[in-house]
Amino acid sequence: NPYKNIYHLAILTGMRRSELLGLQWKDIDWNNATLHVQRSLQRINGRGLVVSQPKTKKSRRAIDLGSSSVDLLKNVKTKQLERRLSTGPVWNDQDFVFTQMDGKPLHPDKVSNEFRRIVKKNNLPHLTLHGLRHAHATLMLSAGANPKIVSERLGHSNVSITLDLYSHLLPGLQK
């Protein structure tokens, strides 16, 4: 699937679709295995694709990457460089990590629609692309991560949002 790396990084980081599609190579700190959420890419009716600030002030954040995320991003970069070389002067260099075959940014609705198609085709329970963000948070909390850390990783404006959304997971943590 052309978007599999987006889906994979979504569940590994908890990033929003708009943040994933707005991610640029300059946002990745390879030495410290960290990415920085600096912008979002959205489709706005009448304006097309628009790069803007993330959803909230706290949404501008650093996310530590595990080795599988670093490997995934290195693979994406290698494949993108190969496409760039084969495309030549037609390549549209906007520094985005996830792009169309010619370097232009991806259309957010296409990424979500393809995810829905995969879920339906494979008879999976209802799951949206945004649901991968919730799965990430659920897995972190279930593994015993501090809710404050989960909140920061997701870019919530405060920990109470995280606690409100995921409080159903927390009673078992007390034991």
Side-chain angles (χ1 to χ4, degrees), residues 129-174:
L129 178 54
H130 191 76
L132 297 180
R133 178 174 165 80
H134 295 301
H136 176 79
T138 300
L139 291 169
M140 284 190 72
L141 290 166
S142 297
N146 184 309
K148 175 77 171 145
I149 301 300
V150 176
S151 178
E152 290 171 359
R153 190 164 175 93
L154 295 176
H156 288 160
S157 56
N158 60 61
V159 72
S160 66
I161 292 172
T162 309
L163 292 171
D164 287 346
L165 285 170
Y166 302 104
S167 61
H168 63 282
L169 299 172
L170 299 176
L173 296 180
Q174 184 177 2

Side-chain angles (χ1 to χ4, degrees), residues 90-104:
V90 179
W91 182 263
N92 186 315
D93 188 11
Q94 296 182 42
D95 197 42
F96 288 108
V97 172
F98 300 110
T99 68
Q100 296 180 45
M101 294 303 287
D102 62 359
K104 291 180 182 171

